[in-house]
Amino acid sequence: QVQVVESGGGLVQAGGSLRLSCTVSGFTFDDYAMGWFRQAPGKEREGVSGISWSGSSTYYADSVKGRFTISRDNAKNTLYLQMNSLKPEDTAMYYCAAQWNPTTTITDMTPPGFGYWGQGTQVTVSS
């Protein structure tokens, strides 16, 4: 049974930091690229960051470059997103997702390209 479980969200003031975690089970983590997506009320789900199975390739949306860092620990089947210098516009539900991709590149960061999803963790940044 596939499980994707996010944690680490919460309420933080602008300029603060949060670290999201995503622990998975039920599939071979090493065969999957992983991504973080977010969705604010009334907006479409957008890709925030992605990482290849090996960690050698990463993707960041322009809005988070230089502030967010994605990483993974394949031994622990866990994905992370370190979020620094948070802004009110970062407020959203954050989702972890898996994409079967044994290559070292990320070619698709759209939601349909990811097959396994978590339930999300809320991040709220106050001004």
Side-chain angles (χ1 to χ4, degrees):
Q1 181 180 359
V2 171
Q3 289 192 320
V4 179
V5 181
E6 303 97 335
S7 62
L11 174 63
V12 64
Q13 288 188 331
S17 298
L18 283 174
R19 188 194 195 202
L20 305 184
S21 298
C22 170
T23 302
V24 310
S25 61
F27 61 93
T28 304
F29 192 57
D30 295 10
D31 285 341
Y32 284 75
M34 298 296 296
W36 286 101
F37 293 77
R38 66 186 181 187
Q39 188 167 20
K43 295 188 177 181
E44 292 188 354
R45 191 169 297 189
E46 64 171 344
V48 173
S49 185
I51 188 168
S52 61
W53 74 268
S54 64
S56 62
S57 178
T58 57
Y59 161 86
Y60 295 97
D62 288 343
S63 57
V64 306
K65 280 180 182 176
R67 301 188 297 122
F68 290 11
T69 303
I70 192 170
S71 62
R72 63 189 292 162
D73 185 338
N74 288 351
K76 296 182 178 180
N77 282 11
T78 302
L79 175 74
Y80 303 99
L81 185 68
Q82 178 66 45
M83 305 186 295
N84 298 330
S85 303
L86 283 162
K87 304 176 181 179
E89 51 263 44
D90 294 318
T91 295
M93 185 71 78
Y94 282 71
Y95 298 92
C96 170
Q99 175 191 80
W100 188 82
N101 181 356
T103 73
T104 55
T105 59
I106 304 169
T107 57
D108 181 4
M109 271 300 299
T110 63
F114 288 73
Y116 297 139
W117 291 82
Q119 294 300 306
T121 186
Q122 178 67 38
V123 171
T124 302
V125 184
S126 63
S127 57

